[in-house]
Amino acid sequence: MPAGEVAVVGGGLIGLFSAHSLLERGYAVTILEAGTLGGGASRVNGGWVCPARSDPLPSWGVVRDGMRSLTSPDSGSFFLHAGALPRVAGYLARFLASSGAGRFSRSWDELDLLNGRTAGLVDELVEVGIIDGLQDEGFLMLHSTRDEAEASWASLRAVSRRGLCPAPEPIVGRPALLELEPGLGDAAQFGFVHRGDRWLDPSRLVDRLAASLSSRGARFVTDTQVRAVRQRGTRVELATGSGVVEASHAVIAAGAWSEQLLRPLGIRGYVTPGKGYSFTIQPEHPPTHVLRLGDTHVGVTPMGDRTRVVGMVELDGTAEGLHAGRVDVMKRKAAPYLSGIDWRASTDEQVGPRPMTPDGKPLIGCAPGADRIVVATGHNMLGLSLAAPTASLVAELVVRGRAAAVPAFDPMRFTRRRG
Ligand SMILES: Cc1cc2nc3c(=O)[nH]c(=O)nc-3n(C[C@H](O)[C@H](O)[C@H](O)COP(=O)(O)OP(=O)(O)OC[C@H]3O[C@@H](n4cnc5c(N)ncnc54)[C@H](O)[C@@H]3O)c2cc1C
């Protein structure tokens, strides 16, 4: 006899990890997915399991980048479409309010409540064979000048003092960098290795998780959009196009699409799609480290026999639609750092909507007046990194209700502020 039946809305990383934790607690689980498993942001991502670089996005640097992109569309990696302003104004206003130094560092401390659990929980999943192919050869930070490398080194040294990674290795010049990675371009003059974060192929992870869940009795209902979720007494009802699904509990893990399910529950989360892009290149010398390319905010991840380039946060007010121009900007930014690449031959260009929140922290907690509906969304740029600790908290919330709530992730924090 299961402890209860949980309907999970959304088959992305947050929904799938939550399903895993709930099965572990003895619940029967059904995953309702509007499209295909991992078809939102989860398969598109960079694959970084990176508790050491989990600072929240809202900061003055990003605000500057966003402002610049309004007048110079090819400059920034945080790209705001002027036409989208009316749709994203509520998010942006609260983002600005979260960008001051005090708020930034408080949010970062709070994110570490989850980050601090990532490595241990991921290791457990490696042990039981759900996660495989986790790489830990280090992230190679590349810079065009010594000043830039020193500033980046100092900021990662400060990060290491938070206790989630070792101090970065010493800065080296181009000859030593070329010994580590022979395929570097001329812009890579100085750099250093930073350890503590790991990476994997997120698409493979989605498939392995789904197979493991299915073998333990989880039910998947794909191509089925949930239109509304409500609690009636001790049951929850999920309205879909093909009827109502009943369960003892529901988890809303609908990524960038979550807002439309949250609003009727009285939650104003300002979850906004921040589109990220990735594509595959075929380097003459495939990298063996994750590469971070100066201040471009473009990263390169080795994924088995493929090399994935990732980056960009684009706010255009929609969750779908790939703008080829954004891919071109990423290529232009990356090209000086890499040699031996035919950029026109890139493949697998994809876009995925990150579920952004104004303060960079996820919304995890019970819906107001509905203990049996648990919200787990808004993971911004960190959904893979934060999936395991989020899932563990989701399971606690299902088991213990509001008593398990962590105030830092209260889904109502923006609703209350504006009355
Ligand atoms: C280019 C890029 C690079 C990234 N790199 C990293 C990284 O290296 N490390 C990291 O930690 N994070 C990274 N991220 C962020 C990470 O991918 C996201 O935070 C994460 O995928 C969010 O997971 P999710 O399950 O909440 O959302 P999603 O993966 O988007 O899943 C939500 C799912 O819900 C479904 N859904 C929506 N509405 C409904 C509904 N009404 N009914 C039923 N189903 C519904 C959608 O179809 C979708 O499948 C990156 C993102 C991008 C785009």
Side-chain angles (χ1 to χ4, degrees):
M1 185 73 177
E5 327 87 60
V6 185
V8 176
V9 185
L13 284 166
I14 301 302
L16 295 174
F17 271 81
S18 297
H20 165 77
S21 291
L22 288 161
L23 283 175
E24 297 275 286
R25 298 294 197 105
Y27 287 83
V29 178
T30 299
I31 294 143
L32 298 154
E33 163 56 51
T36 56
L37 299 180
S42 290
R43 289 187 194 266
V44 177
N45 77 43
W48 303 355
V49 180
C50 51
R53 61 195 67 237
S54 291
D55 45 321
L57 185 69
S59 63
W60 287 126
V62 172
V63 171
R64 247 191 334 265
D65 234 16
M67 299 300 286
R68 211 180 302 142
S69 76
L70 285 172
T71 49
S72 164
D74 285 353
S75 66
S77 328
F78 184 80
F79 184 82
L80 177 59
H81 285 255
L85 273 171
R87 269 171 291 166
V88 299
Y91 162 83
L92 285 176
R94 287 156 188 84
F95 184 99
L96 269 176
S98 302
S99 297
R103 281 290 296 277
F104 172 84
S105 82
R106 197 164 68 239
S107 296
W108 197 353
D109 289 345
E110 290 169 340
L111 276 172
D112 276 359
L113 298 173
L114 296 173
N115 277 321
R117 302 193 59 209
T118 294
L121 290 170
V122 164
D123 287 344
E124 283 173 20
L125 291 168
V126 170
E127 217 149 274
V128 297
I130 292 179
I131 293 183
D132 77 340
L134 195 62
Q135 306 281 293
D136 64 357
E137 286 81 353
F139 283 40
L140 183 58
M141 315 295 292
L142 299 169
H143 297 281
S144 53
T145 66
R146 179 167 275 283
D147 282 355
E148 197 186 279
E150 279 174 0
S152 150
W153 191 94
S155 84
L156 283 170
R157 179 74 186 96
V159 168
S160 72
R161 294 199 181 96
R162 302 178 74 84
L164 296 180
C165 62
E169 293 179 7
I171 295 173
V172 296
R174 185 166 171 79
L177 289 176
L178 287 173
E179 276 176 35
L180 289 171
E181 293 289 0
L184 298 181
D186 286 344
Q189 291 295 327
F190 299 92
F192 58 92
V193 174
H194 186 229
R195 295 185 194 280
D197 290 334
R198 297 176 281 180
W199 71 93
L200 48 67
D201 177 342
S203 206
R204 185 174 166 82
L205 173 60
V206 167
D207 292 336
R208 288 181 71 86
L209 254 173
S212 161
L213 295 172
S214 174
S215 73
R216 287 178 286 153
R219 220 162 59 85
F220 291 95
V221 184
T222 52
D223 294 316
T224 299
Q225 188 188 15
V226 173
R227 295 176 179 164
V229 184
R230 68 171 178 171
Q231 184 171 329
R232 276 163 83 91
T234 58
R235 304 290 288 169
V236 292
E237 292 177 352
L238 298 94
T240 74
S242 46
V244 174
V245 175
E246 268 200 51
S248 65
H249 297 81
V251 175
I252 299 180
W257 296 267
S258 298
E259 192 72 15
Q260 54 229 55
L261 294 172
L262 300 186
R263 295 248 187 124
L265 293 167
I267 304 172
R268 193 73 167 89
Y270 296 94
V271 180
T272 299
K275 289 175 172 175
Y277 287 77
S278 67
F279 57 89
T280 301
I281 51 173
Q282 288 82 34
E284 207 177 304
H285 300 286
T288 55
H289 303 78
V290 162
L291 306 178
R292 299 289 309 267
L293 313 180
D295 63 359
T296 65
H297 301 288
V298 176
V300 180
T301 309
M303 278 184 196
D305 57 0
R306 288 172 302 136
T307 301
R308 175 173 286 187
V309 181
V310 287
M312 193 62 66
V313 180
E314 178 184 48
L315 297 183
D316 68 352
T318 71
E320 289 96 9
L322 181 147
H323 296 116
R326 304 270 65 79
V327 174
D328 293 340
V329 170
M330 285 167 66
K331 289 180 179 174
R332 264 203 307 282
K333 284 170 174 275
Y337 288 90
L338 301 167
S339 67
I341 290 167
D342 178 356
W343 291 95
R344 286 161 310 180
S346 67
T347 55
D348 201 20
E349 292 172 356
Q350 306 176 76
V351 64
R354 301 182 186 89
M356 310 302 281
T357 56
D359 59 5
K361 293 184 300 175
L363 309 172
I364 312 170
C366 297
D371 266 38
R372 289 170 175 268
I373 301 175
V374 174
V375 174
T377 187
H379 287 77
N380 290 264
M381 339 256 294
L382 299 170
L384 169 57
S385 247
L386 299 181
T390 295
S392 158
L393 179 52
V394 165
E396 278 296 300
L397 287 159
V398 167
V399 173
R400 298 201 286 126
R402 221 166 283 283
V406 177
F409 308 122
D410 182 1
M412 290 292 282
R413 61 188 184 272
F414 302 112
T415 317
R416 285 204 192 103
R417 193 156 296 130
R418 295 278 146 177

